């Protein structure tokens, strides 16, 4: 699947940039919760919107918590941080303290979750922009809860009829394995082409 | 550094292997550089060949860099080991440094590689 949109080499390069971004984010997160954050080995897929939706529906058939952050600049699109079952609440509990025992996301919890997502997504944007020497500006994070289909509705996002999806599967967890997340980027076809050109130029420096 | 040295680059990212190889090759044209794209290959290589320097990633698909560090040290007691990882958390850095490995955060730069090689040489 990935070959048709982005070559394995460019996927590898982009994956490594996300890996660095997630590593930096994990270091910040680790400081916040005073605990080591475990990172899985990342994998990246560049797929059509339809394929991405099918896969995400399989992974998350029930309503989920997602933080969306729009980004613009040399590339534009929407970034999503998906949290696994109960992961969002657990993450907030770790940040706010062990005694915190809320069972739903109130205003304070939502703010904490958005801030964590802001750190994670901006670490990824920052790393891509730094290494590829381009500019990416991010918007304000928005917390959404619902089915995957409603959250990734292209009409809502005004992202063109055939957006492409870069899905970075990299989970971050704590030693007791209660928190898991995944990053996905929806980008217009034009932005993906620009990104591929940048990756091509960057990779040529080392071949 | 006069004599040709032998380097093992262990990283599951092809990009990072390319970057490290290019930097070393440009500065030390006669050095011999081997690659391992995962922990298993690295462990095989250190049993069959002597290395002066080993650059080691941490997050890899089969085993982490830290999990194989002891075996690398045991097989190559004279090799200088530098960890180049995106996982820049203090706890991990401390664990590697306690084992005597140098720790560097990605992205890999020329300065980092030269510091690792020249400081350790």
């Amino acid at each position: 699947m990935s070959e048709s949109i982005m070559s394995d080499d460019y996927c590898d390069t982009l994956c490594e940039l996300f890996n660095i971004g997630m590593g930096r984010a994990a270091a910040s997160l680790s400081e916040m919760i005073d605990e080591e954050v475990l990172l899985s080995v990342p994998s990246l897929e560049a797929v059509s919107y339809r394929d991405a939706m099918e896969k995400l529906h399989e992974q998350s058939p029930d309503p989920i918590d997602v933080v969306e952050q729009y980004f613009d600049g040399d590339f534009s699109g929407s970034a999503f941080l998906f949290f696994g079952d109960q992961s969002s609440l657990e993450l907030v509990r770790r940040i706010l303290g062990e005694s915190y025992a809320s069972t739903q996301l109130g205003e304070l919890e939502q703010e904490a979750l958005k801030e964590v997502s802001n750190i994670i997504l901006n670490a990824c944007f920052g790393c891509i922009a730094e290494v590829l020497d381009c500019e990416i500006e991010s918007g304000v994070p928005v917390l959404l809860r619902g089915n995957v289909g409603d959250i990734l509705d292209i009409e809502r996002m005004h992202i063109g009829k055939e957006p492409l999806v870069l899905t970075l599967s990299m989970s971050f967890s704590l030693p007791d394995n209660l928190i898991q997340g995944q990053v996905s980027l929806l980008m217009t076809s034009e932005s993906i082409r620009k990104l591929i050109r940048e990756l091509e130029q960057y990779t040529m420096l080392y071949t | 550094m006069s004599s040709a040295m032998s380097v093992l680059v262990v990283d599951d990212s092809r990009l990072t292997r390319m970057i490290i190889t290019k930097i070393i090759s440009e500065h030390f044209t006669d050095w011999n550089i081997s690659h391992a794209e995962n922990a298993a290959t690295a462990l095989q290589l250190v049993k069959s060949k002597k290395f002066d320097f080993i650059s080691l990633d941490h997050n890899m698909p089969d085993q982490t860099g830290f999990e194989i560090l002891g075996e690398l040290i045991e097989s190559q007691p004279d090799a200088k080991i530098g960890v180049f990882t995106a996982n820049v958390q203090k706890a991990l850095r401390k664990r590697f440094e306690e084992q005597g490995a140098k720790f560097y955060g990605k992205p890999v730069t020329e300065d980092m590689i030269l510091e690792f090689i020249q400081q350790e040489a």
Side-chain angles (χ1 to χ4, degrees):
Chain A
M1 185 66 64
S2 60
E3 285 88 346
S4 61
I5 295 171
M6 191 180 279
S7 75
D8 286 348
D9 280 354
Y10 297 150
C11 271
D12 173 87
T13 301
L14 195 56
C15 193
E16 183 67 346
L17 300 185
F18 272 112
N19 183 33
I20 295 168
M22 289 294 279
R24 291 178 183 175
S28 303
L29 199 53
S30 171
E31 298 274 334
M32 289 172 82
I33 60 179
D34 198 24
E35 200 165 353
E36 186 174 358
V37 177
L38 307 176
L39 293 171
S40 70
V41 177
S43 65
L44 186 129
E45 273 191 315
V47 295
S48 68
Y49 175 77
R50 182 179 296 182
D51 289 337
M53 289 297 285
E54 276 180 19
K55 197 168 179 181
L56 288 166
H57 268 301
E58 274 176 29
Q59 286 173 355
S60 309
D62 300 321
I64 46 170
D65 293 318
V66 179
V67 176
E68 178 186 10
Q69 199 157 9
Y70 180 73
F71 60 93
D72 202 356
D74 288 324
F75 322 111
S76 63
S78 282
F80 297 88
L81 182 58
F82 293 84
F83 292 98
D85 281 349
Q86 297 299 313
S87 289
S88 49
L89 267 175
E90 183 60 26
L91 182 58
V92 168
R93 192 176 70 81
R94 295 299 178 100
I95 293 166
L96 298 177
E98 288 295 322
S99 59
Y100 201 83
S102 177
T103 54
Q104 57 183 344
L105 290 173
E107 197 176 333
L108 176 62
E109 295 89 336
Q110 290 183 25
E111 286 306 313
L113 201 56
K114 284 191 287 186
E115 185 54 20
V116 169
S117 302
N118 195 33
I119 289 168
I120 291 171
L121 294 174
N122 271 292
C124 293
F125 296 147
C127 189
I128 291 169
E130 178 189 318
V131 174
L132 298 183
D133 195 21
C134 58
E135 193 171 352
I136 303 173
E137 295 216 13
S138 59
V140 177
V142 179
L143 179 66
L144 305 166
R145 180 163 178 81
N147 294 311
V148 168
D150 296 332
I151 289 169
L152 298 185
D153 180 38
I154 49 177
E155 297 284 325
R156 181 183 70 77
M157 290 184 285
H158 305 292
I159 203 164
K161 287 186 177 170
E162 292 293 331
L164 298 172
V165 182
L166 293 176
T167 296
L168 176 81
S169 299
M170 182 173 190
S171 60
F172 51 92
S173 54
L174 299 180
D176 51 14
N177 224 12
L178 287 169
I179 299 171
Q180 293 207 313
Q182 177 183 303
V183 174
S184 288
L185 303 185
L186 253 76
M187 296 171 76
T188 60
S189 308
E190 186 193 352
S191 277
I192 291 270
R193 281 197 294 274
K194 282 167 76 176
L195 176 59
I196 289 173
R197 281 199 296 275
E198 294 290 340
L199 290 169
E200 190 175 23
Q201 286 176 11
Y202 178 68
T203 308
M204 276 173 65
L205 294 173
Y206 297 100
T207 50
Chain B
M1 225 167 292
S2 53
S3 60
M5 299 272 181
S6 184
V7 183
L8 174 60
V9 180
V10 186
D11 202 302
D12 61 324
S13 162
R14 182 168 174 261
L15 174 74
T16 299
R17 296 197 303 273
M18 285 162 56
I19 291 174
I20 295 175
T21 300
K22 185 167 191 205
I23 293 169
I24 296 174
S25 302
E26 281 178 352
H27 287 270
F28 309 101
T29 51
D30 58 343
W31 284 24
N32 184 277
I33 304 169
S34 303
H35 297 139
E37 61 185 23
N38 53 42
T41 308
L43 292 175
Q44 275 179 358
L45 284 171
V46 295
K47 283 173 187 157
S48 59
K49 192 174 171 186
K50 182 181 177 299
F51 293 100
D52 301 293
F53 296 96
I54 298 173
S55 80
L56 178 64
D57 187 18
H58 175 65
N59 277 13
M60 292 186 287
D62 46 355
Q63 280 183 285
T64 67
F66 190 74
E67 283 168 343
I68 64 167
L69 180 64
E71 211 169 323
L72 294 180
I73 293 170
E74 198 178 330
S75 294
Q76 304 279 329
D78 299 325
K80 311 300 180 192
I81 299 177
V83 177
F84 295 85
T85 176
N87 191 337
V88 290
Q89 295 177 73
K90 285 178 184 171
L92 186 69
R93 171 188 284 264
K94 188 164 176 271
R95 285 207 296 275
F96 272 111
E97 289 178 344
E98 280 171 355
Q99 298 296 316
K102 297 284 288 184
F103 189 95
Y104 300 91
K106 284 180 177 177
V108 174
T109 64
E110 186 171 25
D111 287 348
M112 270 180 206
I113 296 292
L114 294 180
E115 188 205 282
F116 167 56
I117 285 173
Q118 287 164 356
Q119 208 174 68
E120 297 286 353

